[in-house]
Amino acid sequence: MSRKITKTMAIAASNMMCEKAFRKQIDEATAKLDAAAENLARKYIPAPVLACVKEYPDNFEKVTRVSITTLVEKNGYVTSDNYITGKLSFPIPNGSRNIVVERTEYEALRKLNEKVVSLVFKRSDFKSQVYDALIALGTEKKVQDELPEALNYLSFPETKKLPAPIFTGLREVIANIKDE
């Protein structure tokens, strides 16, 4: 008898497979984005400001995330492009968290951000495809035939064999029931 796959098992398996497939790629892309954002923060936040935060940390409301944007001219008006956020390895004053950079620097950062976003969407699609496949297959045997890679991530509950009943004296009990 083939064991059935529950929704909970399919969700857990798709999450584990998804993490294994995408975690390293997303972490690397995010690290590159954060490093680029940190370089821009170091470039555009004056060194004396950073030194002052370091020397007098209690006097500042600090953040470790920076939002970077650029100015774009649309229809004769200067507007800001969307913000791209990156994590920093050092604290900056709260008021310095929004940095306006040159267009070329922003475009390079935007490409790194798009790669992270693309990987996150691919991860989400992959997770739902694996889940849908496991639910559609439904049993351990079908998964073994069609998607054997997923078997390692499915945790079927252990089934214990019930002890065989002991029928000692069963006929006597039945005989007593009929006589009464």
Side-chain angles (χ1 to χ4, degrees):
M1 184 171 136
S2 187
R3 299 181 283 187
K4 293 199 181 282
I5 297 171
T6 65
K7 287 182 180 180
T8 305
M9 291 168 54
I11 289 170
S14 64
N15 284 339
M16 287 187 286
M17 290 177 73
C18 186
E19 284 302 307
K20 186 169 184 177
F22 286 95
R23 173 55 43 211
K24 185 177 179 183
Q25 294 175 13
I26 291 174
D27 286 347
E28 287 174 355
T30 303
K32 286 180 183 176
L33 176 65
D34 290 343
E38 184 165 320
N39 287 339
L40 290 174
R42 288 188 190 278
K43 179 178 177 182
Y44 283 92
I45 298 175
V49 172
L50 295 177
C52 189
V53 171
K54 192 173 184 177
E55 189 171 343
Y56 304 104
D58 295 338
N59 296 337
F60 291 93
E61 182 181 338
K62 300 176 293 290
V63 293
T64 55
R65 295 197 75 80
V66 64
S67 296
I68 297 173
T69 189
T70 190
L71 299 178
V72 179
E73 192 171 320
K74 293 181 182 176
N75 301 330
Y77 296 100
V78 176
T79 61
S80 292
D81 207 345
N82 291 332
Y83 286 94
I84 297 172
T85 304
K87 189 173 182 190
L88 304 175
S89 64
F90 59 93
I92 60 173
N94 190 18
S96 297
R97 84 170 137 205
N98 297 323
I99 299 172
V100 179
V101 300
E102 295 294 324
R103 184 75 181 165
T104 54
E105 294 169 321
Y106 178 81
E107 286 302 319
L109 196 67
R110 187 181 58 77
K111 288 178 184 175
L112 292 172
N113 189 58
E114 283 178 0
K115 184 173 182 180
V116 172
V117 170
S118 171
L119 286 170
V120 170
F121 279 122
K122 284 180 185 177
R123 177 180 66 182
S124 177
D125 289 344
F126 178 78
K127 187 188 300 187
S128 64
Q129 288 174 0
V130 170
Y131 172 80
D132 292 344
L134 291 173
I135 292 297
L137 292 171
T139 63
E140 180 183 18
K141 184 171 180 3
K142 288 181 182 176
V143 170
Q144 189 171 9
D145 293 342
E146 299 292 327
L147 192 62
E149 301 85 9
L151 277 178
N152 296 335
Y153 301 98
L154 289 169
S155 56
F156 291 98
E158 288 192 29
T159 56
K160 295 181 179 178
K161 282 191 167 184
L162 295 174
I166 301 173
F167 297 113
T168 308
L170 182 63
R171 293 285 174 210
E172 293 173 14
V173 174
I174 292 174
N176 287 340
I177 293 175
K178 288 182 183 177
D179 291 341
E180 291 179 9

